[in-house]
Amino acid sequence: MRAATDKFGPITVLFNHAGTIVIKPFLETTLQEWDWLHAVNVRSMFLMTRAVLPGMIAAGGGSIVCTSSISAVAATPNEVLYDTTKGACHMFARAIAVEFRDRNIRCNAVCPGFIRTPHGLREVADLGKLGVDVSDAAMAAQQGRIGEPEEVAKAALFLASDESSFVNGAHLFVDNAFTAI
Ligand SMILES: NC(=O)c1ccc[n+]([C@@H]2O[C@H](COP(=O)([O-])OP(=O)(O)OC[C@H]3O[C@@H](n4cnc5c(N)ncnc54)[C@H](O)[C@@H]3O)[C@@H](O)[C@H]2O)c1
């Protein structure tokens, strides 16, 4: 935060995007994995948002974008821990929006489907090994094709920018209708 502020001035955009996944049968997961995944995916949003908000308010307002997922609303076998964290991210964005709207803060969630990143490709490979059908045919039926990172980035940029000035507390799914079916 200090480095960003020194270079660019007050922080008016925060992208809570860092995240990872645990893919395992639920009964093989551990308390350590539960705590670790919640720390990386959810506690990080809490810490960053709490740290950035005072300066953002002092600057007159800003936009926060939180990366949620289709997994916040559509569960996948062997992803109980991940799905739970993304449910929290999903509601975090909405709750911040409601509490800080009167201070000119917008907070929205971007919710990707399966995307071609190291995380997305590992997820497809690991689910396949556990017998979940993530074949090309299954992917085609669910969301047409795998998504490209740039397609999510453009949606996040829209939410971060003034182009979305009246969009607040929203969940923007970038999933080619995965969750619409
Ligand atoms: N790829 C997908 O299919 C997909 C779908 C839905 C949501 N998402 C979400 O998108 C976000 C980015 O995922 P991605 O697909 O680009 O994955 P990725 O593994 O390619 O990148 C993850 C990013 O998070 C950062 N990160 C991970 N753990 C961290 C930690 N402990 N501390 C700091 N930074 C950490 C990494 O440095 C990296 O920049 C995540 O929140 C993920 O849950 C991804």
Side-chain angles (χ1 to χ4, degrees):
M1 275 180 59
R2 206 169 296 125
T5 308
D6 288 349
K7 191 158 184 192
F8 302 111
I11 297 172
T12 53
V13 170
L14 170 63
F15 188 17
N16 284 319
H17 185 59
T20 187
I21 193 165
V22 170
I23 300 168
K24 264 188 174 184
F26 175 65
L27 292 176
E28 294 175 19
T29 59
T30 65
L31 178 59
Q32 285 73 18
E33 286 168 331
W34 171 276
D35 286 344
W36 174 75
L37 197 65
H38 279 73
V40 175
N41 290 3
V42 189
R43 192 170 184 259
S44 59
M45 288 194 182
F46 163 73
L47 290 173
M48 287 307 302
T49 305
R50 208 178 55 164
V52 163
L53 263 176
M56 201 179 258
I57 292 166
S63 176
I64 301 170
V65 182
C66 301
T67 299
S68 176
S69 170
I70 54 170
S71 299
V73 297
T76 305
N78 307 299
E79 293 192 357
V80 171
L81 275 51
Y82 182 72
D83 295 352
T84 310
T85 65
K86 288 299 169 180
C89 298
H90 215 60
M91 200 57 205
F92 182 85
R94 196 159 259 189
I96 293 290
V98 167
E99 187 164 335
F100 291 94
R101 176 178 60 184
D102 63 354
R103 276 155 283 183
N104 202 29
I105 305 288
R106 295 184 301 106
C107 185
N108 294 286
V110 64
C111 315
F114 284 97
I115 307 298
R116 195 192 311 277
T117 65
H119 164 125
L121 296 174
R122 178 166 71 86
E123 185 178 3
V124 169
D126 289 359
L127 285 173
K129 283 181 214 152
L130 288 167
V132 180
D133 185 5
V134 279
S135 60
D136 289 350
M139 185 81 75
Q142 288 176 315
Q143 58 171 53
R145 60 172 170 78
I146 195 163
E148 300 300 335
E150 292 77 9
E151 294 176 302
V152 180
K154 284 176 191 162
L157 183 58
F158 166 70
L159 293 174
S161 76
D162 291 341
E163 295 297 306
S164 59
S165 54
F166 205 58
V167 181
N168 200 3
H171 296 142
L172 178 51
F173 285 88
V174 185
D175 66 356
N176 202 20
F178 182 113
T179 47
I181 294 171

